[in-house]
Amino acid sequence: MQPETDVEGGATGATGATDADATPSAREKAEAVRESLSARDGVLVAFSGGVDSAVVAALADDALGDDAVACTAKSETLPDAELDDAKRVASEIGIRHEVVEFSELDDPDFVRNDGERCYHCRTMRLGRMYEAAAELGIETICDGTNASDPGEGHRPGLRAVEELEVRSPLLEAGIEKEEVRAIADDLGLSVADKPAMACLSSRIPTGLEVTNERLTRIEKAERVLREWGFSQFRVRDHDGLARIEIDPDELDAALNHDFVVAAREHLSDLGFEHVTLDLHGYRTGSVSPEGDESEPDESSERDAEPVVADVFDAEYPTR
């Protein structure tokens, strides 16, 4: 019989006693992060409002109080709903929250949307964070990269984190994704079970230019899915064809006739010539190299095999 796991991540036997030789629990790792942050004069946390950056922000706030700042970078790739959520979560934590603006579309390398798109995005986004930190007199920038992120598919954004010498407290403490969620739950954060939400450009197949028009219609297309109560979804923009991905557990609801009609009419009004439902269901990074799909300020989505980028050029069997 396998030992049960307690909320702190330690192995317990029938008596509930933790094995003295067990690796540090999630709570102990969180305390290590809190102590390491307390040694800093101040920190600015690259803050998306997702569970990873929320945990870092909460621990930084505990450690440093007014000397900790959460910073969200607003751009065309960040849905308005996610910005609103980031503001709500920062308020929930009680940490000072700053919103700065920049545009990835100013960089032709990002617009080109090659396999290094996330590298260009992260470099610009974190560069804007450094500018904000300098204005506040803060030297240390932290992000929400966790120990599950490195080595998971094509992750060029992590190279930007390393090059810019951004601290990743969760990674440094060896805190993996499930432990992040356990810590968030322990801290009473409402985002403990929040699904990962990647930036809007991740919905555009590699090689197809990222434009404001495409980003806008993707955001509006996904709004109707959110309004219908779906929790994990994407609308992939294949230059005229909208491919809706919904979590397999929610596919039955996606086949509801009223939803089908509403989605078709809404997305057609946005300019999509064809509206399809992917029967594979939601898969992270399904239009990007090796499953690359990153959140605006942290890396946490992965897996999935790439699919055909240009569905109009693909050959399909007729029988």
Side-chain angles (χ1 to χ4, degrees), residues 190-239:
S190 63
V191 291
D193 296 319
K194 181 181 178 180
M197 178 57 69
C199 79
L200 293 172
S201 61
S202 67
R203 280 67 153 170
I204 302 173
T206 301
L208 188 64
E209 282 195 351
V210 179
T211 65
N212 190 53
E213 178 185 5
R214 289 185 176 121
L215 294 171
T216 299
R217 74 178 179 183
I218 290 168
E219 180 176 7
K220 290 180 178 179
E222 292 191 346
R223 191 175 300 156
V224 72
L225 276 75
R226 187 174 292 107
E227 290 172 351
W228 275 80
F230 294 102
S231 61
Q232 188 69 288
F233 54 82
R234 298 287 185 268
V235 175
R236 311 291 187 185
D237 188 337
H238 292 269
D239 199 26

Side-chain angles (χ1 to χ4, degrees), residues 176-188:
E176 299 183 345
K177 186 67 177 188
E178 288 308 308
E179 293 177 304
V180 176
R181 294 195 183 280
I183 293 168
D185 186 61
D186 197 39
L187 293 172

Side-chain angles (χ1 to χ4, degrees), residues 227-289:
E227 290 172 351
W228 275 80
F230 294 102
S231 61
Q232 188 69 288
F233 54 82
R234 298 287 185 268
V235 175
R236 311 291 187 185
D237 188 337
H238 292 269
D239 199 26
L241 182 147
R243 179 166 58 87
I244 300 173
E245 295 182 4
I246 292 177
D247 189 279
D249 292 338
E250 300 180 286
L251 274 176
D252 284 347
L255 297 174
N256 175 280
H257 175 72
D258 291 340
F259 167 72
V260 170
V261 171
R264 183 183 65 228
E265 292 181 352
H266 183 70
L267 271 65
S268 295
D269 288 344
L270 292 175
F272 287 105
E273 298 174 19
H274 307 279
V275 180
T276 67
L277 176 65
D278 191 329
L279 297 183
H280 282 291
Y282 166 68
R283 296 173 295 162
T284 62
S286 66
V287 294
S288 304

